């Protein structure tokens, strides 16, 4: 780090521990930032598209996960470079907002930065670049809206939704079963969707995984599946017409939060206490039983004695139900969560058609299924697969598909995939560039080039010649004025994405372009990095 | 540095590594194939065993394991390579799901990747390989279902099938010389369950001493506990009370309670009260009029004596498993409170005879003629604990396979027959497929055919010749032919009576394909910096 000296040759100390800090300024800082971010985007770029590859990630504890999901990859890479971390957040915010397209957004940001680097080399000021990108982004978004189409999600047994889900699943390891899984996801979302309000509460879809079997065995359970069994081995395994009592207090003598002491100083007291203790259990079970409940689910543990009393009173019970499950069950069955035994009343009970225990494989693992719930239709997707890595990846994939369907229910406008939307935008942005008379023109043109990078990357991953296929698609788009021409990734013989039925949601595409542009702008504004030396 | 000469900034943490493209692929292939090769030699009736030696200090660490079971071997290995971990994972899942075929699944996945590597070297894109494998897998599974046969569960044929399957499964294990004996034993045990899949009812007791031949199936239920001193050693027509309650002293469960006294008299009073409380509990128990009292927890001398005085046989320390099994077998309810003696008939378990028996040197309690006759016990004898452990694992495998067969009922011929038929079907399919996928389908067929090849090699036979002859036999239409590993020829599986459970094969093919596909799709491996651990 360069130092300033006074007249006597002593350095001015401006930053604390100045000597131990590393500082990068100006062009050096820009380039270093851009290269770091590009390195991340490069890693992800081979995961893009239906023929994208997966990444194997080894966690600090040696656990392996294999995934194609952009957000998961960047999260598990444990990136430490500050600028590269911005891309991680970019991918995660796309995940949080839209749920899908997490790879695409990072790749697009990478392409934009690549363009920015050449512009910087040309000597264009970073702020000019970022302004140009901003204007180009607006044009692209507007154009996206004009080329978007509304689809009828109800038509033909929700065919459009299934197709959109298939597009989302197409790039994953489960792609072979995309149609089946897509259907499962669509059914699940429609079951819980509030179509009048165009809203979907994703909390009502529970995704439970269980290794064993194969991905084909994945199925939809119209109810809630919880990974628990009855508290006493001899309780009945099935309760029909269940009236569920949902407790968040343990079947144990009360434990006041305040510190207290009960001092026993005589035998009478001792006996009295014993009787009272016994009475606690009897009362608790009686209160539950009297309310008319025929099954009790409890977030906490049971005392042995209480457990037996429950059995004796023919009241099946489940202990240690997780907090999220309790809430889900409450929503689905209309049960009120009861924090104290005294507050149990019949109207607070939830109702469900049946509660039963099911068993898997040879290893005696059981789960409880709550079906035909009274209020909303909560559903569970039970994912099976040959190994933990596969079920985990399938879970992420189905989550993506569910998000896509939800977005379509919220906003039924779509654009076509296969890079066609990006190409169409690129063409539009290029036209606009010529109208701009200032330096930004170059940046706008570069933005178009970056957009073209997406179909380029897609074609590359599919083993096609990227330059020829993108050029062909582009010229056909212009000649036929058809914004649906993209890259034929699956080699189906047509480049019209409408025929291939590759649907992507407009909201996802819009979000991708906006987020990527924002992050790039942010990176371009950094001209000074001060960090500890060992960084 | 990239091509232009820019120095790439470090993006990942210090000790983290990232391998891309060919390097990543090479790494995962090498790892997966190495694991497959490691367990390969245990495959088949002439497979060899492995010694597993734990690392680390301490007495218990010197205990070695000798085994032939793929899942056990793989579970005990610590591997670094992520692809190898995936193979271990599928083997574990196979163990949980069907209980057997744990070696097969790892070997098959390894062979698939070996073939896959060759295709990649020919510059075929992994996605094309996967596409081909997917077609092949479907064909293979369809063939497997087509060639399997099903018998009615009650019929004698099904019973014979079960015995044959048990024999086949056992033939690769240590106890292969006594396989008829054990096959019969396991089938009997499983048939007692009457279609239920709860393995808990079959208890396995291992006792060193005697020879393997001395093992037997006991139709009663044996509890590896002792009857308390001073009680009757033989009870006929027993009424059993199974309890899970504290019989040492009842601790006060109300939070924050403290006993504070200010004189010795008071101590005595409290003690008396405590005693009285216990006496009260015992009285309540007595109201149920049991003849046998089984408790999960420890019983102190005082209540024990009270119970024994009333002529009740007391069994303490029955722990969770024992207690649940006794309860399940005798139809008893597990009690923790004793306030409802009027429910006596419902809660008491029943069995015709309880007696203390000696097996080898150990005393045990045997319950015969239980209310629910599903429970039974397999008593294993053998000259050393290593042998017993291995026999235990083998029996567990057999029981799992049998239970799966009872559930699924479909069986296929063994001796490599199903693999060869699947391979043939894949090759047939490859002729119809256009494009490079066909190469992958052929590769899949080759990988499937590797399983019988390895079995041959392990037996020391000329695999190239045998497999070719085998192929010809199948081509001729002898669909029941298979490898006769006793004399190294191609024989008729029908005559030899070698059958296998279809579900095990199905699961193995599915899991292996999924795992191979998973590894194949990877083009980038990111290893995070290992977590720093503070050394204690």
């Amino acid at each position: 780090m360069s130092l300033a000296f006074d007249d006597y040759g002593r350095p001015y100390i401006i930053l604390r521990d100045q000597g131990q800090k590393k500082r990068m300024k100006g062009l050096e800082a820009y380039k270093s930032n851009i290269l770091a971010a590009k390195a991340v985007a490069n890693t992800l770029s081979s995961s893009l598209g239906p023929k994208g590859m997966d990444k194997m990630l080894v966690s600090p504890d040696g656990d392996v996960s294999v995934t194609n999901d952009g957000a998961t990859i960047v999260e598990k890479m444990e990136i430490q470079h500050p600028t590269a971390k911005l891309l991680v957040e970019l991918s995660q915010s796309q995940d949080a907002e839209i749920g899908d397209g997490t790879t695409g957004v990072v790749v697009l940001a990478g392409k934009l930065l690549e363009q920015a680097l050449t512009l910087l080399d040309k000597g264009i000021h970073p702020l000019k670049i970022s302004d140009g990108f901003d204007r180009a982004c607006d044009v692209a978004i507007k154009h996206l809206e004009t080329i978007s189409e509304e689809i009828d999600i109800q038509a033909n047994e929700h065919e459009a939704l299934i197709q959109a889900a298939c597009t989302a699943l197409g790039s994953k390891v489960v792609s072979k079963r995309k149609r089946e899984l897509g259907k499962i996801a669509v059914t699940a979302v429609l079951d819980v969707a509030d179509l009048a309000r165009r809203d979907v509460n994703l909390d009502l879809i529970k995704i439970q995984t269980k290794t064993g079997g194969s991905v084909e065995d994945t199925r939809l359970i119209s109810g809630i599946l919880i990974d628990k069994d009855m508290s006493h081995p001899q309780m009945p395994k099935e309760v029909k017409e269940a009236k569920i009592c949902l407790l968040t207090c343990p079947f144990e003598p009360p434990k006041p939060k305040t510190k207290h002491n009960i001092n026993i100083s005589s035998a009478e007291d001792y006996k009295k206490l014993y009787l009272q203790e016994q009475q606690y259990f009897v009362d608790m079970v009686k209160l539950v039983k009297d309310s008319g409940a025929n099954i009790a689910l409890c977030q906490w543990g049971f005392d042995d004695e209480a457990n037996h009393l429950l059995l004796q009173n023919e009241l099946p019970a489940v202990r240690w139900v997780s907090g999220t499950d309790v809430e889900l069950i409450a929503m689905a069955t209309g049960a009120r969560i009861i924090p104290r035994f005294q507050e149990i009343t019949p109207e607070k009970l939830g109702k469900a058609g049946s509660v039963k225990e099911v068993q898997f494989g040879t290893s005696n693992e059981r789960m409880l299924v709550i079906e035909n719930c009274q209020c909303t239709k909560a559903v569970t997707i039970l994912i099976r697969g040959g190994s933990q890595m596969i079920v985990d990846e399938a879970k992420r994939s189905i989550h993506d598909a569910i998000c896509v369907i939800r977005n379509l229910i919220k906003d039924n406008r779509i654009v076509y995939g296969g890079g066609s939307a990006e190409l169409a935008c690129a063409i539009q942005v290029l036209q606009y560039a010529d109208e701009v008379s200032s330096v930004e023109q170059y940046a706008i043109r570069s933005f178009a080039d970056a957009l073209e990078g997406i179909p380029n990357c897609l074609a590359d991953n599919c083993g096609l010649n990227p330059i020829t296929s993108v050029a062909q698609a582009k010229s056909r788009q212009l000649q036929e004025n058809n914004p649906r021409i993209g890259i034929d990734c699956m080699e189906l013989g047509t480049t019209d994405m409408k025929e291939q039925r590759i649907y992507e949601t407009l909201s996802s595409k819009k979000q991708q372009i906006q987020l990527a542009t924002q992050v790039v702008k942010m990176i371009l504004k950094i001209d000074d990095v001060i960090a500890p030396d060992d960084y | 540095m990239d091509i232009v000469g820019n120095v790439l900034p470090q993006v990942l943490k210090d000790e983290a590594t990232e391998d891309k493209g060919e390097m990543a692929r090479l790494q995962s292939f090498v790892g997966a194939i190495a694991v497959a090769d490691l367990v390969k030699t245990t495959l088949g009736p002439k497979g060899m065993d492995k010694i597993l030696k734990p690392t680390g200090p301490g007495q218990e660490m010197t205990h070695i394991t000798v085994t032939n079971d793929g899942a056990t071997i793989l579970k005990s290995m610590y591997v670094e390579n992520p692809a190898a971990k995936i193979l271990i994972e599928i083997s574990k899942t196979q163990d949980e799901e069907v209980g057997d075929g744990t070696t097969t699944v790892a070997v098959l996945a390894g062979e698939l990747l070996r073939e896959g590597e060759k295709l990649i070297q020919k510059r075929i894109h992994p996605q094309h390989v996967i596409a081909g494998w997917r077609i092949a897998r479907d064909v293979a599974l369809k063939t497997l279902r087509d060639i399997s046969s099903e018998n009615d569960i009650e019929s004698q044929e099904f019973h014979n099938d079960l015995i044959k399957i048990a024999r086949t499964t056992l033939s690769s294990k240590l106890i292969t010389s006594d396989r008829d004996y054990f096959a019969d034993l396991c089938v009997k045990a499983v048939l007692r369950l009457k279609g239920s899949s709860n393995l808990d009812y079959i208890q396995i007791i291992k006792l060193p001493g005697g020879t393997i031949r001395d093992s037997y199936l006991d139709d009663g239920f044996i509890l590896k506990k002792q009857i308390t001193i001073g009680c009757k050693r033989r009870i006929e027509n027993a009424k059993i009370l199974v309890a899970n309650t504290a019989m040492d002293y009842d601790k006060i469960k109300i939070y924050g309670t403290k006993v504070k006294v200010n004189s010795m008299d008071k101590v005595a009073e409290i003690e008396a009260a405590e005693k009285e409380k216990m006496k009260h509990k015992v009285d309540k128990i007595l109201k149920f009029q049991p003849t046998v009292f089984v408790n999960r927890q420890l019983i102190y001398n005082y209540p024990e004596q009270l119970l024994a005085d009333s002529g009740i046989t007391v069994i303490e320390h029955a722990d969770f498993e024992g207690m649940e099994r006794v309860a399940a077998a005798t139809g008893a309810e597990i009690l923790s409170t004793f306030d409802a003696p009027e429910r006596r008939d419902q809660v008491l378990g029943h069995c015709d005879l309880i007696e203390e028996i000696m097996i080898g040197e150990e005393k045990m309690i045997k319950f015969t003629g239980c209310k629910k006759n599903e429970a039974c016990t397999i008593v294993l004898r053998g000259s050393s604990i290593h042998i017993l452990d291995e026999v235990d694992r083998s029996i567990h495998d057999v029981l799992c396979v049998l239970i799966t067969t009872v559930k699924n009922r479909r069986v296929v011929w063994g001796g490599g027959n199903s693999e060869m038929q699947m391979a043939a079907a894949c090759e047939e399919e490859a002729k119809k497929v256009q494009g490079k996928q066909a190469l992958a389908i052929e590769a899949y067929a080759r990988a499937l055919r590797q399983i019988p090849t390895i079995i041959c090699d392990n037996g020391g036979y000329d695999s190239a010749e045998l497999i070719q002859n085998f192929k010809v036999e199948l081509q001729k239409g002898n669909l029941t032919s298979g490898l006769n590993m006793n004399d190294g020829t191609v024989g008729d599986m029908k005559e030899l009576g070698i059958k296998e459970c279809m579900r095990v094969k199905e699961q193995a093919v599915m899991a292996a394909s999924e795992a191979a596909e998973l590894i194949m799709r990877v083009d980038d491996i990111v290893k995070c910096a290992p977590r720093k651990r503070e050394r204690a």
Side-chain angles (χ1 to χ4, degrees), chain A residues 123-231:
Chain A
I124 299 176
H125 191 274
L127 280 184
K128 290 279 175 202
I129 302 175
S130 107
D131 278 353
F133 280 0
D134 216 11
R135 286 161 75 172
C137 173
D138 287 344
V139 173
I141 300 283
K142 244 181 237 142
H143 188 61
L144 265 186
E145 277 177 17
T146 53
I147 62 166
S148 70
E149 288 176 25
E150 275 194 26
I151 51 160
D152 183 4
I153 54 171
Q154 306 278 1
N156 200 2
E157 291 177 1
H158 307 285
E159 185 56 33
L161 290 184
I162 297 175
Q163 282 302 334
C166 287
T167 310
L169 290 169
S171 60
K172 317 284 182 187
V173 72
V174 292
S175 58
K176 182 166 161 233
R177 296 286 143 194
K178 62 181 176 190
R179 178 102 200 147
E180 286 87 340
L181 294 179
K183 262 190 192 151
I184 287 177
V186 169
T187 324
V189 174
L190 287 176
D191 273 352
V192 301
D194 185 347
L195 287 177
R197 273 176 50 234
R198 294 196 147 202
D199 192 22
V200 184
N201 185 355
L202 287 188
D203 287 345
L204 289 173
I205 302 176
K206 195 179 169 200
I207 304 180
Q208 182 85 39
T209 59
K210 180 88 188 64
T211 51
S214 132
V215 179
E216 277 92 337
D217 302 331
T218 299
R219 59 177 176 211
L220 184 72
I221 294 167
S222 57
I224 302 165
L225 191 75
I226 47 175
D227 196 358
K228 290 278 174 289
D229 52 4
M230 298 290 183
S231 63

Side-chain angles (χ1 to χ4, degrees), chain B residues 274-297:
Chain B
E274 213 172 55
K275 235 177 178 174
E276 197 186 320
K277 194 164 138 188
M278 190 44 77
K279 175 89 172 50
H280 188 60
K281 198 172 191 175
V282 172
D283 282 345
K284 280 202 272 184
I285 292 170
L286 288 179
K287 280 210 186 108
F288 283 87
Q289 298 168 338
T291 49
V292 178
F293 178 70
V294 184
N295 191 18
R296 178 175 84 80
Q297 301 168 26

Side-chain angles (χ1 to χ4, degrees), chain A residues 12-24:
Chain A
Y12 286 115
I13 304 293
I14 300 162
L15 293 165
R16 203 160 66 120
D17 299 331
Q18 186 163 289
Q20 284 146 35
K21 286 202 170 130
K22 208 169 64 179
R23 181 166 176 207
M24 271 190 298

Side-chain angles (χ1 to χ4, degrees), chain B residues 133-152:
Chain B
W133 281 356
R134 286 177 170 178
I135 300 171
R137 191 192 86 143
D138 284 348
V139 172
L141 286 178
K142 191 177 168 294
T143 316
L144 190 64
R145 275 172 211 140
D146 288 348
I147 60 170
S148 65
S149 58
E150 190 177 354
N151 278 319
D152 188 59

